[in-house]
């Protein structure tokens, strides 16, 4: 991730294939690193919800059914110093476990609490600077949880 601070990438345009998976990851990076500009984003509902969430100024963010957005935004909002976010979704989203990711983020020094059921959204996230530089995660953890952590590692 440190390469993103390189002069080589300053004010560069990244044109992608339109893949939802790539679009969602690059949207987070674009929001974290001002030097990145993306074109040809996926027009999937998940990508549009993630993009809208990154642009909103409101405290309540509802990502509906977008699981990738829930995972990536949990880490993203956790490092937005001084910003409080309520991250929620559909009733089905509230049944999808997120405990392993939240525990990893809490072990990094972030401030995340469950608002309804332990281990599941919705989440109250108070953005902080990460105070720990290393975290252990279980081997069985979702690859999207790991990706979520990697996406914020450069900050």
């Amino acid at each position: 991730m440190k390469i993103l601070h390189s002069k080589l990438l300053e004010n560069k345009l990244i044109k992608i294939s339109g893949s939802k998976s790539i679009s969602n990851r690059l949207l987070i990076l674009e929001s974290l690193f001002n030097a990145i500009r993306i074109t040809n984003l996926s027009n999937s509902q998940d990508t549009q919800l993630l993009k809208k969430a990154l642009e909103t100024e409101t405290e309540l963010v509802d990502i509906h059914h977008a699981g990738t957005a829930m995972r990536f935004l949990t880490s993203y909002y956790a490092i937005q110093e001084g910003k409080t976010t309520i991250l929620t979704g559909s009733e089905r989203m509230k049944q999808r476990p997120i405990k392993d990711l939240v525990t990893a983020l809490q072990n990094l020094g972030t401030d995340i609490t469950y608002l309804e059921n332990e281990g599941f959204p919705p989440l109250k996230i108070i953005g902080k600077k990460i105070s720990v530089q290393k975290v252990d995660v279980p081997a069985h953890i979702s690859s999207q949880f790991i990706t979520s952590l990697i996406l914020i590692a450069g900050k």
Side-chain angles (χ1 to χ4, degrees), residues 78-98:
I79 64 167
Q80 300 306 303
E81 293 182 61
K83 179 177 171 67
T84 299
T85 305
I86 305 299
L87 185 57
T88 191
S90 66
E91 286 306 310
R92 174 65 185 117
M93 182 58 65
K94 292 177 181 183
Q95 298 170 2
R96 296 179 70 178
I98 197 159

Side-chain angles (χ1 to χ4, degrees), residues 9-45:
L9 289 179
E10 195 168 310
N11 298 316
K12 297 295 180 180
L13 181 69
I14 299 172
K15 186 172 182 178
I16 61 174
S17 67
S19 154
K20 176 177 83 168
S21 176
I22 294 170
S23 291
N24 290 349
R25 286 156 175 78
L26 288 176
L27 277 171
I28 297 292
L29 292 175
E30 179 184 48
S31 190
L32 291 173
F33 302 98
N34 293 330
I36 299 173
R37 296 293 172 257
I38 304 166
T39 64
N40 200 34
L41 284 172
S42 167
N43 61 3
S44 74
Q45 182 181 22

Side-chain angles (χ1 to χ4, degrees), residues 53-110:
L54 290 168
E55 294 170 349
T56 189
E57 296 293 324
T58 64
E59 185 174 295
L60 179 65
V61 176
D62 185 346
I63 53 80
H64 306 282
H65 300 298
T68 302
M70 174 61 74
R71 294 172 187 117
F72 292 176
L73 289 171
T74 298
S75 294
Y76 174 82
Y77 288 130
I79 64 167
Q80 300 306 303
E81 293 182 61
K83 179 177 171 67
T84 299
T85 305
I86 305 299
L87 185 57
T88 191
S90 66
E91 286 306 310
R92 174 65 185 117
M93 182 58 65
K94 292 177 181 183
Q95 298 170 2
R96 296 179 70 178
I98 197 159
K99 185 174 186 172
D100 288 335
L101 175 58
V102 169
T103 298
L105 288 163
Q106 289 170 331
N107 289 340
L108 288 169
T110 65

